[in-house]
C-alpha cells in the first residue's frame, strides 16, 4: 500500500492534541468514605499514575482516537498498486549507433532490442505507434501506425547506421511529436544518463531499455601513416578497455592491392594502451589496420587511412587584406601568413594565396592570386556575370560591386567578368586569379565571399587524388566537376553505393571503410571512419521516468482505497455518540 498525499501527514497533530487532553484533564470519581481515617489513603491511591489512569476504562477516548486516526489515513490518500494496460501514443526511439553491434555469444545488442520492440508492439495491438531512429538528423520510420504488421515489418528492416546517436536531438524530436496529447516513449539504447531528463514532462513517460552486460572490448584507438624516403611508416594505438590483460595480432593491409604489409603479435595490460610502430613498409595509397582479438565488439577492430597529399593548411601573403585570412579560417583551414620565400617553400603542401604573379611560374601546384603586384588597377563599371564553372556552383556574384580591375592574363580562361572586363580567370594548371584587390570591392559584405573562398580552396586541393576523411553519414560539401552527370560512389570492388547530383549534397556512406567517387572523368578515394565516441562501450541500465511499466506493456497504476475507511469512521462516531448518551454529560 502507498500514500498519495503524504503532505497531509501534518493532520496527525489532531489525535496528539486529544491524547494530551486526556492526559491532563481533571477527572472526578464519586467515592463513599466511611471514615476520615481512610480519606488520606484513598487520595494517595487516586494520585498513583494519574496519566495512565485517565486512559484506563475510558471507552470514549478510544473511540475518538480511532475515528481521528482513520480520518488522518483518509486524508493521506491510501492506495494499492495495480497493473493496467498502457494506452495512447507509443513512441520507440531506436539507437542505431555502432556500439549497438556489441554483444556476447555472437548475439548483438541491436538484435536483442529488436526482439524487445516486437514484444512491446504485439502487446499494444491497435494503438498508434511511432518509430524514430537516432543520428545527427533523427528520422521517422513509421508515424502513428496502428497496423501491427506494418510496424513489425519496419522494425525488421532497421539497421545500424554506425553514426553517433546524438540522443539529445532524438529526445527533443520525440518531445515535439508528443507535444499534443502526451506519449509513452521507449528508448532502446545501450546506455543513457538520467541527467538527459532534467526537464519535467508531465504528459510523457520515458522507459529506457539499456544494456547491463559487462563486455570485453579492444579497439584501434589511433591509426596513422606517412610516406618516407624508405617507404611508408605507420603507427597503431591499441586500447584495452577490459579488466584483464589481452593478447592478439595486428595486420596492416594495402586496401587497393589486398597485399598483407605486416603482421605482428601484441600484448596490452588491462585498462591501458600499447603503441605499435611499423617502419619501411611498402608504398601504399590506402591502408587498413585490423586487430585479431577475442572481444565482444568487432566494429572498432578495423580502421582505414589514406596516404594521399591531402592539404589542410593555407599560407596567406602578409600583404593581402586581413579579411582574406579570416575567410580561409572560416572554412576550417589552418591559416598562417608568410613572406614570399615562405610561400614558395609551402607551395607544394599548402593552399597558397598571394598577389605575387611570379608564383604562377613556380612549383608544380596551383596557387590563388588576388590582385597583381606588377600592374595598376583601372576603374570599371558593370554587372558581374559568371560562367558555368564549378567555382560558382554555390557562390552567386551577381550582387557584388567592383570598382577597379587589374589587366587580365591573355593565355588564361576568363570565368567571370565585370561588364566586358575579365574579373576571375583560371590557368591550365588550375591557378585561380582574381583581378581585383579585395578592398576595391564590397565582396566581403556578401555571403558569396566565404562560399567562393571555400570553392577555390577545394579546387586547389582537388589536384590530389583523395577527398579526405568522413564519419558515417556525414553531410559535407565537396567540389564537383560540374559535368551534370553527378557524383557516383562505389566500393573498391565496384559495388554501387549512391549518386549525388552535385558536391553540395554529398553524404558519406554508412559503413566504415575506403570508397571511390567518380566525378566525370576523375576518380578519387575517400575514407569513412568511426567516431571516437563509438569506440567506447558504456554499461547502462533500464529504468523509467514516470510510472513503472512491466514487460507485458502494463503500467503500475493506483487503486485508491481511502473510501473504504469512510464507513468505519461513521460507525465509530455513531458508537461514540451512543456511549456519550448513556453516560450522560457530567457537571
Amino acid at each position: 500500500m502507498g500514500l498519495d498525499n503524504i503532505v497531509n501527514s501534518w493532520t496527525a497533530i489532531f489525535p496528539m492534541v486529544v491524547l494530551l487532553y486526556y492526559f491532563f484533564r481533571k477527572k472526578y470519581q464519586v467515592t463513599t468514605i466511611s471514615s476520615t481515617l481512610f480519606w488520606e489513603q484513598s487520595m494517595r491511591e487516586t494520585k498513583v499514575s494519574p496519566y495512565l489512569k485517565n486512559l484506563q476504562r475510558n471507552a470514549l477516548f478510544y473511540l475518538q482516537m480511532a475515528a481521528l486516526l482513520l480520518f488522518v489515513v483518509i486524508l493521506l490518500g491510501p492506495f494499492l498498486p495495480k497493473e493496467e494496460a498502457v494506452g495512447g501514443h507509443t513512441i520507440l526511439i531506436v539507437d542505431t549507433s555502432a556500439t549497438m553491434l556489441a554483444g556476447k555469444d555472437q548475439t548483438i545488442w541491436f538484435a536483442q532490442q529488436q526482439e524487445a520492440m516486437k514484444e512491446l508492439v504485439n502487446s499494444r495491438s491497435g494503438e498508434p505507434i511511432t518509430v524514430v531512429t537516432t543520428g545527427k538528423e533523427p528520422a521517422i520510420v513509421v508515424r502513428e501506425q496502428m497496423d501491427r504488421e506494418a510496424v513489425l515489418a519496419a522494425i525488421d528492416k532497421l539497421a545500424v547506421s554506425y553514426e553517433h546517436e546524438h540522443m539529445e536531438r532524438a529526445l527533443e524530436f520525440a518531445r515535439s511529436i508528443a507535444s499534443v496529447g502526451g506519449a509513452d516513449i521507449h528508448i532502446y539504447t545501450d546506455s543513457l544518463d538520467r541527467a538527459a531528463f532534467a526537464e519535467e514532462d508531465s504528459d510523457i513517460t520515458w522507459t529506457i531499455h539499456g544494456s547491463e552486460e559487462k563486455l570485453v572490448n579492444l579497439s584501434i584507438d589511433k591509426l596513422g601513416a606517412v610516406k618516407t624516403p624508405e617507404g611508408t611508416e605507420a603507427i597503431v594505438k591499441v586500447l584495452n578497455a577490459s579488466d584483464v590483460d589481452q593478447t592478439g595480432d595486428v595486420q596492416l593491409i594495402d586496401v587497393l592491392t589486398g597485399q598483407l604489409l605486416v603482421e605482428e603479435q601484441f600484448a596490452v595490460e588491462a585498462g591501458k594502451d600499447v603503441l605499435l610502430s611499423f617502419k619501411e613498409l611498402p608504398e601504399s595509397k590506402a591502408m587498413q589496420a585490423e586487430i585479431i582479438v577475442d572481444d565482444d565488439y568487432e566494429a572498432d577492430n578495423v580502421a582505414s587511412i589514406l596516404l594521399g597529399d591531402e592539404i589542410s593548411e593555407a599560407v596567406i601573403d602578409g600583404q593581402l587584406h586581413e579579411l582574406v585570412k579570416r575567410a580561409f579560417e572560416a572554412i576550417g583551414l589552418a591559416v598562417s601568413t608568410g613572406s614570399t620565400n615562405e610561400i614558395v617553400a609551402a607551395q607544394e603542401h599548402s593552399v597558397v594565396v598571394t598577389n605575387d604573379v611570379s608564383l604562377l611560374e613556380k612549383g608544380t601546384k596551383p596557387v590563388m592570386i588576388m590582385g597583381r603586384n606588377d600592374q595598376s588597377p583601372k576603374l570599371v563599371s558593370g554587372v558581374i556575370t559568371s560562367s558555368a564553372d564549378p567555382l560558382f556552383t554555390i557562390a552567386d556574384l551577381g550582387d557584388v560591386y567592383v570598382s577597379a580591375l587589374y589587366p587580365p592574363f591573355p593565355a588564361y580562361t576568363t570565368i567571370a567578368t565585370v561588364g566586358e572586363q575579365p574579373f576571375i580567370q583560371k590557368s591550365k594548371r588550375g591557378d585561380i586569379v582574381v583581378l581585383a584587390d579585395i578592398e576595391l570591392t564590397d565582396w566581403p559584405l556578401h555571403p558569396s565571399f566565404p562560399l567562393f573562398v571555400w570553392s577555390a580552396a577545394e579546387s586547389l586541393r582537388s589536384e590530389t587524388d583523395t577527398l579526405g576523411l568522413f564519419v558515417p553519414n556525414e553531410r559535407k560539401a565537396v567540389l564537383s566537376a560540374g559535368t551534370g552527370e553527378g557524383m557516383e560512389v562505389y566500393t573498391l570492388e565496384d559495388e554501387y553505393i549512391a549518386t549525388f547530383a552535385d558536391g553540395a549534397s554529398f553524404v558519406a556512406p554508412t559503413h566504415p571503410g575506403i570508397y571511390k567517387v567518380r566525378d566525370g572523368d576523375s576518380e578519387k578515394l575517400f575514407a569513412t571512419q568511426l567516431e571516437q565516441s563509438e569506440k567506447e562501450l558504456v554499461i547502462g541500465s533500464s529504468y523509467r521516468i514516470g510510472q513503472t511499466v512491466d514487460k507485458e506493456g502494463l503500467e503500475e497504476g493506483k487503486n485508491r482505497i481511502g473510501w473504504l475507511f469512510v464507513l468505519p469512521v461513521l460507525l465509530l462516531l455513531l458508537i461514540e455518540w451512543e456511549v456519550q448518551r448513556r453516560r450522560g454529560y457530567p457537571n
Side-chain angles (χ1 to χ4, degrees):
M1 187 181 76
L3 301 176
D4 200 27
N5 298 318
I6 195 68
V7 68
N8 290 333
S9 58
W10 65 271
T11 56
I13 192 174
F14 294 114
M16 298 299 297
V17 171
V18 173
L19 181 64
L20 291 175
Y21 167 75
Y22 273 90
F23 275 161
F24 295 104
R25 76 168 188 165
K26 293 181 179 180
K27 184 173 182 180
Y28 301 93
Q29 292 182 353
V30 179
T31 305
T32 302
I33 304 298
S34 59
S35 171
T36 58
L37 179 66
F38 304 105
W39 177 261
E40 183 177 353
Q41 180 179 354
S42 176
M43 291 300 297
R44 284 198 302 267
E45 293 176 356
T46 301
K47 292 180 180 180
V48 172
S49 303
Y51 300 131
L52 294 178
K53 288 183 69 67
N54 285 339
L55 301 182
Q56 293 173 355
R57 296 183 302 278
N58 196 333
L60 189 61
F61 163 76
Y62 295 112
L63 290 171
Q64 290 175 340
M65 287 297 293
L68 284 173
L69 289 174
L70 286 177
F71 184 68
V72 170
V73 171
I74 293 174
L75 291 178
L76 290 176
F79 66 88
L80 292 175
K82 67 174 182 178
E83 291 183 342
E84 56 187 15
V86 179
H89 189 189
T90 301
I91 300 176
L92 310 182
I93 299 179
V94 187
D95 184 351
T96 58
S97 62
T99 53
M100 295 293 287
L101 293 172
K104 288 184 176 295
D105 302 325
Q106 304 299 319
T107 303
I108 63 173
W109 180 239
F110 188 77
Q112 297 180 45
Q113 294 286 47
Q114 281 181 301
E115 294 302 319
M117 284 184 272
K118 292 178 185 179
E119 186 177 347
L120 178 64
V121 170
N122 285 325
S123 68
R124 302 191 179 186
S125 179
E127 297 180 10
I129 296 178
T130 297
V131 180
V132 177
T133 56
T134 62
K136 197 170 185 179
E137 299 176 3
I140 295 179
V141 180
V142 293
R143 180 159 189 170
E144 297 188 34
Q145 178 61 256
M146 302 182 71
D147 185 349
R148 183 183 63 181
E149 296 302 323
V151 177
L152 293 175
I155 292 175
D156 282 331
K157 293 179 181 178
L158 292 175
V160 172
S161 67
Y162 291 86
E163 181 182 2
H164 183 63
E165 66 270 17
H166 297 281
M167 188 60 73
E168 66 284 352
R169 299 190 181 189
L171 296 182
E172 289 302 319
F173 189 61
R175 285 189 178 101
S176 66
I177 296 175
S179 58
V180 179
D184 182 32
I185 301 179
H186 291 252
I187 303 175
Y188 294 89
T189 183
D190 48 2
S191 176
L192 183 60
D193 196 337
R194 288 177 180 265
F197 305 97
E199 301 179 11
E200 292 187 3
D201 302 292
S202 57
D203 296 330
I204 301 177
T205 52
W206 305 87
T207 303
I208 290 77
H209 304 266
S211 171
E212 300 180 5
E213 285 186 313
K214 192 171 184 180
L215 303 176
V216 176
N217 182 37
L218 280 81
S219 64
I220 298 179
D221 190 57
K222 301 289 183 184
L223 171 63
V226 62
K227 293 181 180 180
T228 63
E230 294 78 20
T232 303
E233 182 176 341
I235 58 170
V236 180
K237 182 180 178 182
V238 180
L239 177 64
N240 180 11
S242 66
D243 297 332
V244 296
D245 297 348
Q246 298 285 344
T247 60
D249 296 330
V250 59
Q251 294 180 346
L252 291 180
I253 302 171
D254 187 319
V255 180
L256 299 181
T257 64
Q259 178 187 0
L260 178 62
L261 303 178
V262 67
E263 182 174 3
E264 184 177 299
Q265 291 185 341
F266 69 89
V268 56
E269 298 180 15
K272 296 185 178 181
D273 57 65
V274 60
L275 189 64
L276 308 174
S277 178
F278 306 94
K279 298 181 179 180
E280 299 183 6
L281 298 175
E283 289 190 7
S284 175
K285 289 185 177 180
M287 186 180 296
Q288 175 181 289
E290 180 178 1
I291 54 174
I292 303 173
V293 293
D294 183 17
D295 68 352
D296 300 319
Y297 182 40
E298 297 181 356
D300 59 357
N301 293 350
V302 180
S304 303
I305 192 171
L306 296 173
L307 283 79
D309 300 323
E310 183 180 1
I311 298 174
S312 60
E313 300 179 352
V315 181
I316 311 298
D317 195 322
Q319 298 181 17
L320 297 182
H321 197 279
E322 180 69 16
L323 290 175
V324 177
K325 178 183 176 182
R326 298 299 181 192
F328 277 89
E329 289 177 342
I331 65 174
L333 293 181
V335 179
S336 60
T337 57
S339 62
T340 302
N341 292 335
E342 292 173 330
I343 291 175
V344 171
Q347 184 175 354
E348 298 300 318
H349 55 80
S350 301
V351 174
V352 170
V353 186
T354 181
N355 63 354
D356 188 351
V357 298
S358 65
L359 269 72
L360 294 172
E361 306 296 332
K362 296 179 180 179
T364 61
K365 300 294 184 180
V367 298
M368 183 174 182
I369 303 294
M370 299 195 76
R372 294 184 62 168
N373 64 345
D374 62 339
Q375 298 286 342
S376 300
K378 295 181 180 180
L379 297 178
V380 296
S381 62
V383 178
I384 295 179
T385 57
S386 57
S387 65
D389 192 90
L391 287 177
F392 308 117
T393 301
I394 59 175
D396 182 11
L397 311 186
D399 54 353
V400 175
Y401 170 74
V402 179
S403 62
L405 290 174
Y406 288 96
F409 293 88
Y412 290 2
T413 302
T414 300
I415 58 175
T417 60
V418 178
E420 299 296 329
Q421 300 298 317
F423 175 36
I424 301 175
Q425 294 184 303
K426 290 180 73 174
S427 71
K428 292 182 179 180
R429 189 177 70 169
D431 302 289
I432 300 173
V433 180
V434 179
L435 297 169
D437 293 325
I438 201 66
E439 55 266 30
L440 298 178
T441 73
D442 67 348
W443 202 1
L445 302 178
H446 298 271
S448 61
F449 182 60
L451 294 176
F452 176 82
V453 168
W454 175 85
S455 297
E458 289 296 312
S459 177
L460 296 175
R461 296 196 295 175
S462 68
E463 297 303 317
T464 65
D465 55 359
T466 65
L467 284 182
L469 301 177
F470 298 79
V471 297
N473 297 321
E474 180 181 3
R475 291 184 178 272
K476 182 179 179 181
V478 297
L479 193 66
S480 65
T483 60
E485 299 177 0
M487 305 177 68
E488 297 180 341
V489 179
Y490 295 85
T491 66
L492 294 181
E493 292 77 24
D494 288 325
E495 179 183 349
Y496 173 77
I497 301 295
T499 298
F500 303 99
D502 52 53
S505 58
F506 185 82
V507 180
T510 295
H511 198 283
I514 294 180
Y515 299 85
K516 57 186 177 182
V517 57
R518 292 173 184 168
D519 185 13
D521 296 330
S522 66
E523 184 173 283
K524 296 184 179 182
L525 299 176
F526 68 92
T528 302
Q529 294 183 341
L530 279 182
E531 296 181 67
Q532 201 65 26
S533 59
E534 294 305 304
K535 299 179 181 180
E536 301 173 4
L537 298 182
V538 182
I539 298 177
S541 61
S542 298
Y543 56 91
R544 185 170 178 87
I545 306 295
Q547 300 176 7
T548 58
V549 172
D550 65 13
K551 295 182 179 179
E552 303 297 328
L554 302 175
E555 69 179 1
E556 186 176 287
K558 296 177 180 179
N559 187 12
R560 303 186 184 279
I561 58 174
W563 61 274
L564 296 175
F565 296 95
V566 175
L567 186 60
V569 169
L570 294 177
L571 182 61
L572 288 172
L573 290 176
L574 180 63
I575 296 174
E576 179 184 341
W577 174 81
E578 178 64 19
V579 170
Q580 189 71 50
R581 186 186 66 80
R582 292 188 177 187
R583 289 190 176 184
Y585 297 91
N587 296 325

